PDB file of all heavy atoms in Angstrom:
ATOM      1  N   VAL A 372      12.097  27.422  -4.405  1.00  0.00           N
ATOM      2  CA  VAL A 372      11.943  26.259  -5.430  1.00  0.00           C
ATOM      3  C   VAL A 372      11.264  26.890  -6.677  1.00  0.00           C
ATOM      4  O   VAL A 372      10.610  27.846  -6.559  1.00  0.00           O
ATOM      5  CB  VAL A 372      11.109  25.109  -4.933  1.00  0.00           C
ATOM      6  CG1 VAL A 372      11.733  24.453  -3.722  1.00  0.00           C
ATOM      7  CG2 VAL A 372       9.652  25.495  -4.503  1.00  0.00           C
ATOM      8  N   LYS A 373      11.611  26.197  -7.757  1.00  0.00           N
ATOM      9  CA  LYS A 373      11.022  26.669  -8.969  1.00  0.00           C
ATOM     10  C   LYS A 373       9.485  26.512  -8.970  1.00  0.00           C
ATOM     11  O   LYS A 373       8.941  25.514  -8.379  1.00  0.00           O
ATOM     12  CB  LYS A 373      11.570  25.882 -10.206  1.00  0.00           C
ATOM     13  CG  LYS A 373      13.073  26.133 -10.381  1.00  0.00           C
ATOM     14  CD  LYS A 373      13.663  25.220 -11.546  1.00  0.00           C
ATOM     15  CE  LYS A 373      15.148  25.455 -11.673  1.00  0.00           C
ATOM     16  NZ  LYS A 373      15.676  24.535 -12.720  1.00  0.00           N
ATOM     17  N   GLU A 374       8.865  27.366  -9.698  1.00  0.00           N
ATOM     18  CA  GLU A 374       7.401  27.333  -9.810  1.00  0.00           C
ATOM     19  C   GLU A 374       6.812  25.953 -10.215  1.00  0.00           C
ATOM     20  O   GLU A 374       5.721  25.590  -9.827  1.00  0.00           O
ATOM     21  CB  GLU A 374       6.771  28.453 -10.623  1.00  0.00           C
ATOM     22  CG  GLU A 374       5.282  28.637 -10.722  1.00  0.00           C
ATOM     23  CD  GLU A 374       4.748  29.013  -9.286  1.00  0.00           C
ATOM     24  OE1 GLU A 374       5.336  29.765  -8.575  1.00  0.00           O
ATOM     25  OE2 GLU A 374       3.682  28.438  -9.077  1.00  0.00           O
ATOM     26  N   ASP A 375       7.472  25.378 -11.165  1.00  0.00           N
ATOM     27  CA  ASP A 375       7.052  24.066 -11.801  1.00  0.00           C
ATOM     28  C   ASP A 375       7.488  22.855 -10.964  1.00  0.00           C
ATOM     29  O   ASP A 375       7.244  21.727 -11.534  1.00  0.00           O
ATOM     30  CB  ASP A 375       7.382  23.939 -13.217  1.00  0.00           C
ATOM     31  CG  ASP A 375       8.976  24.029 -13.459  1.00  0.00           C
ATOM     32  OD1 ASP A 375       9.616  24.218 -12.433  1.00  0.00           O
ATOM     33  OD2 ASP A 375       9.324  23.860 -14.529  1.00  0.00           O
ATOM     34  N   THR A 376       8.168  23.039  -9.897  1.00  0.00           N
ATOM     35  CA  THR A 376       8.607  21.805  -9.097  1.00  0.00           C
ATOM     36  C   THR A 376       7.427  21.239  -8.294  1.00  0.00           C
ATOM     37  O   THR A 376       6.761  21.904  -7.485  1.00  0.00           O
ATOM     38  CB  THR A 376       9.712  22.231  -8.106  1.00  0.00           C
ATOM     39  OG1 THR A 376      10.770  22.831  -8.661  1.00  0.00           O
ATOM     40  CG2 THR A 376      10.140  21.062  -7.283  1.00  0.00           C
ATOM     41  N   PRO A 377       7.083  20.028  -8.628  1.00  0.00           N
ATOM     42  CA  PRO A 377       5.924  19.406  -7.888  1.00  0.00           C
ATOM     43  C   PRO A 377       6.278  19.310  -6.397  1.00  0.00           C
ATOM     44  O   PRO A 377       7.397  18.726  -6.024  1.00  0.00           O
ATOM     45  CB  PRO A 377       5.835  17.964  -8.523  1.00  0.00           C
ATOM     46  CG  PRO A 377       6.561  18.117  -9.846  1.00  0.00           C
ATOM     47  CD  PRO A 377       7.650  19.148  -9.633  1.00  0.00           C
ATOM     48  N   MET A 378       5.433  19.794  -5.544  1.00  0.00           N
ATOM     49  CA  MET A 378       5.538  19.645  -4.109  1.00  0.00           C
ATOM     50  C   MET A 378       4.197  18.985  -3.702  1.00  0.00           C
ATOM     51  O   MET A 378       3.144  19.490  -3.621  1.00  0.00           O
ATOM     52  CB  MET A 378       5.682  20.920  -3.342  1.00  0.00           C
ATOM     53  CG  MET A 378       6.940  21.757  -3.836  1.00  0.00           C
ATOM     54  SD  MET A 378       7.389  23.133  -2.840  1.00  0.00           S
ATOM     55  CE  MET A 378       8.236  22.394  -1.559  1.00  0.00           C
ATOM     56  N   ILE A 379       4.358  17.586  -3.385  1.00  0.00           N
ATOM     57  CA  ILE A 379       3.217  16.854  -3.234  1.00  0.00           C
ATOM     58  C   ILE A 379       2.970  16.545  -1.716  1.00  0.00           C
ATOM     59  O   ILE A 379       3.886  16.095  -0.995  1.00  0.00           O
ATOM     60  CB  ILE A 379       3.378  15.477  -3.895  1.00  0.00           C
ATOM     61  CG1 ILE A 379       3.526  15.709  -5.367  1.00  0.00           C
ATOM     62  CG2 ILE A 379       2.236  14.521  -3.652  1.00  0.00           C
ATOM     63  CD1 ILE A 379       4.076  14.526  -6.181  1.00  0.00           C
ATOM     64  N   PHE A 380       1.780  16.904  -1.253  1.00  0.00           N
ATOM     65  CA  PHE A 380       1.387  16.591   0.197  1.00  0.00           C
ATOM     66  C   PHE A 380       0.529  15.301   0.140  1.00  0.00           C
ATOM     67  O   PHE A 380      -0.585  15.363  -0.441  1.00  0.00           O
ATOM     68  CB  PHE A 380       0.610  17.697   0.727  1.00  0.00           C
ATOM     69  CG  PHE A 380       0.038  17.513   2.145  1.00  0.00           C
ATOM     70  CD1 PHE A 380       0.856  17.495   3.252  1.00  0.00           C
ATOM     71  CD2 PHE A 380      -1.296  17.226   2.251  1.00  0.00           C
ATOM     72  CE1 PHE A 380       0.321  17.121   4.517  1.00  0.00           C
ATOM     73  CE2 PHE A 380      -1.821  16.941   3.461  1.00  0.00           C
ATOM     74  CZ  PHE A 380      -1.183  16.901   4.614  1.00  0.00           C
ATOM     75  N   LEU A 381       1.028  14.273   0.642  1.00  0.00           N
ATOM     76  CA  LEU A 381       0.370  13.003   0.792  1.00  0.00           C
ATOM     77  C   LEU A 381      -0.112  12.846   2.228  1.00  0.00           C
ATOM     78  O   LEU A 381       0.615  12.388   3.120  1.00  0.00           O
ATOM     79  CB  LEU A 381       1.212  11.840   0.377  1.00  0.00           C
ATOM     80  CG  LEU A 381       0.497  10.380   0.539  1.00  0.00           C
ATOM     81  CD1 LEU A 381      -0.749  10.454  -0.434  1.00  0.00           C
ATOM     82  CD2 LEU A 381       1.552   9.378  -0.092  1.00  0.00           C
ATOM     83  N   GLY A 382      -1.386  13.331   2.448  1.00  0.00           N
ATOM     84  CA  GLY A 382      -1.942  13.382   3.752  1.00  0.00           C
ATOM     85  C   GLY A 382      -2.603  12.020   4.080  1.00  0.00           C
ATOM     86  O   GLY A 382      -3.356  11.536   3.231  1.00  0.00           O
ATOM     87  N   PHE A 383      -2.266  11.419   5.181  1.00  0.00           N
ATOM     88  CA  PHE A 383      -2.756  10.130   5.482  1.00  0.00           C
ATOM     89  C   PHE A 383      -3.875  10.207   6.634  1.00  0.00           C
ATOM     90  O   PHE A 383      -3.760  11.176   7.415  1.00  0.00           O
ATOM     91  CB  PHE A 383      -1.826   9.052   5.828  1.00  0.00           C
ATOM     92  CG  PHE A 383      -0.771   9.486   7.023  1.00  0.00           C
ATOM     93  CD1 PHE A 383      -1.141   9.430   8.295  1.00  0.00           C
ATOM     94  CD2 PHE A 383       0.335   9.944   6.694  1.00  0.00           C
ATOM     95  CE1 PHE A 383      -0.376   9.708   9.324  1.00  0.00           C
ATOM     96  CE2 PHE A 383       1.358  10.344   7.646  1.00  0.00           C
ATOM     97  CZ  PHE A 383       0.924  10.175   8.910  1.00  0.00           C
ATOM     98  N   GLY A 384      -4.790   9.316   6.633  1.00  0.00           N
ATOM     99  CA  GLY A 384      -5.857   9.253   7.683  1.00  0.00           C
ATOM    100  C   GLY A 384      -5.281   8.540   8.941  1.00  0.00           C
ATOM    101  O   GLY A 384      -4.161   8.175   8.961  1.00  0.00           O
ATOM    102  N   THR A 385      -6.219   8.292   9.845  1.00  0.00           N
ATOM    103  CA  THR A 385      -5.970   7.772  11.004  1.00  0.00           C
ATOM    104  C   THR A 385      -6.252   6.158  11.134  1.00  0.00           C
ATOM    105  O   THR A 385      -7.029   5.741  10.398  1.00  0.00           O
ATOM    106  CB  THR A 385      -6.646   8.370  12.295  1.00  0.00           C
ATOM    107  OG1 THR A 385      -7.988   8.398  12.052  1.00  0.00           O
ATOM    108  CG2 THR A 385      -6.191   9.906  12.387  1.00  0.00           C
ATOM    109  N   MET A 386      -5.374   5.521  11.837  1.00  0.00           N
ATOM    110  CA  MET A 386      -5.686   4.093  12.162  1.00  0.00           C
ATOM    111  C   MET A 386      -6.628   4.005  13.423  1.00  0.00           C
ATOM    112  O   MET A 386      -6.267   4.507  14.443  1.00  0.00           O
ATOM    113  CB  MET A 386      -4.349   3.355  12.491  1.00  0.00           C
ATOM    114  CG  MET A 386      -4.579   1.899  12.725  1.00  0.00           C
ATOM    115  SD  MET A 386      -2.942   0.999  12.920  1.00  0.00           S
ATOM    116  CE  MET A 386      -2.726   1.213  14.664  1.00  0.00           C
ATOM    117  N   ASN A 387      -7.758   3.525  13.311  1.00  0.00           N
ATOM    118  CA  ASN A 387      -8.806   3.536  14.232  1.00  0.00           C
ATOM    119  C   ASN A 387      -9.023   2.134  14.836  1.00  0.00           C
ATOM    120  O   ASN A 387      -8.781   1.111  14.180  1.00  0.00           O
ATOM    121  CB  ASN A 387     -10.027   4.112  13.739  1.00  0.00           C
ATOM    122  CG  ASN A 387     -10.067   5.579  13.339  1.00  0.00           C
ATOM    123  OD1 ASN A 387      -9.275   6.261  13.952  1.00  0.00           O
ATOM    124  ND2 ASN A 387     -10.863   5.918  12.408  1.00  0.00           N
ATOM    125  N   GLY A 388      -9.619   2.131  16.095  1.00  0.00           N
ATOM    126  CA  GLY A 388      -9.922   0.827  16.645  1.00  0.00           C
ATOM    127  C   GLY A 388     -11.398   0.449  16.170  1.00  0.00           C
ATOM    128  O   GLY A 388     -11.866   1.152  15.213  1.00  0.00           O
ATOM    129  N   LYS A 389     -11.872  -0.682  16.552  1.00  0.00           N
ATOM    130  CA  LYS A 389     -13.218  -1.088  16.003  1.00  0.00           C
ATOM    131  C   LYS A 389     -14.327  -0.132  16.493  1.00  0.00           C
ATOM    132  O   LYS A 389     -15.463  -0.158  15.873  1.00  0.00           O
ATOM    133  CB  LYS A 389     -13.534  -2.506  16.604  1.00  0.00           C
ATOM    134  CG  LYS A 389     -12.683  -3.595  15.990  1.00  0.00           C
ATOM    135  CD  LYS A 389     -12.965  -4.956  16.345  1.00  0.00           C
ATOM    136  CE  LYS A 389     -12.130  -6.038  15.725  1.00  0.00           C
ATOM    137  NZ  LYS A 389     -12.507  -7.339  16.210  1.00  0.00           N
ATOM    138  N   ASP A 390     -14.013   0.739  17.447  1.00  0.00           N
ATOM    139  CA  ASP A 390     -15.087   1.732  17.890  1.00  0.00           C
ATOM    140  C   ASP A 390     -15.024   2.916  16.959  1.00  0.00           C
ATOM    141  O   ASP A 390     -15.835   3.818  17.188  1.00  0.00           O
ATOM    142  CB  ASP A 390     -14.897   2.209  19.321  1.00  0.00           C
ATOM    143  CG  ASP A 390     -13.437   2.735  19.472  1.00  0.00           C
ATOM    144  OD1 ASP A 390     -12.641   2.869  18.596  1.00  0.00           O
ATOM    145  OD2 ASP A 390     -13.144   3.232  20.681  1.00  0.00           O
ATOM    146  N   GLY A 391     -14.183   2.935  15.830  1.00  0.00           N
ATOM    147  CA  GLY A 391     -14.094   4.068  14.889  1.00  0.00           C
ATOM    148  C   GLY A 391     -13.233   5.319  15.461  1.00  0.00           C
ATOM    149  O   GLY A 391     -13.092   6.188  14.838  1.00  0.00           O
ATOM    150  N   LYS A 392     -12.606   5.104  16.636  1.00  0.00           N
ATOM    151  CA  LYS A 392     -11.805   6.168  17.299  1.00  0.00           C
ATOM    152  C   LYS A 392     -10.461   5.833  17.167  1.00  0.00           C
ATOM    153  O   LYS A 392     -10.126   4.598  17.009  1.00  0.00           O
ATOM    154  CB  LYS A 392     -12.216   6.434  18.736  1.00  0.00           C
ATOM    155  CG  LYS A 392     -13.716   6.814  18.928  1.00  0.00           C
ATOM    156  CD  LYS A 392     -13.962   6.980  20.448  1.00  0.00           C
ATOM    157  CE  LYS A 392     -15.482   7.451  20.513  1.00  0.00           C
ATOM    158  NZ  LYS A 392     -15.881   7.538  22.014  1.00  0.00           N
ATOM    159  N   PRO A 393      -9.518   6.775  17.210  1.00  0.00           N
ATOM    160  CA  PRO A 393      -8.086   6.448  17.122  1.00  0.00           C
ATOM    161  C   PRO A 393      -7.712   5.314  18.002  1.00  0.00           C
ATOM    162  O   PRO A 393      -8.036   5.273  19.144  1.00  0.00           O
ATOM    163  CB  PRO A 393      -7.369   7.763  17.474  1.00  0.00           C
ATOM    164  CG  PRO A 393      -8.345   8.809  17.078  1.00  0.00           C
ATOM    165  CD  PRO A 393      -9.700   8.299  17.348  1.00  0.00           C
TER     166      PRO A 393
END
Side-chain angles (χ1 to χ4, degrees):
V372 299
K373 295 177 182 176
E374 183 62 37
D375 60 353
T376 300
M378 302 191 81
I379 299 163
F380 172 75
L381 180 57
F383 55 80
T385 56
M386 182 177 86
N387 296 327
K389 290 184 179 180
D390 59 359
K392 298 177 181 178

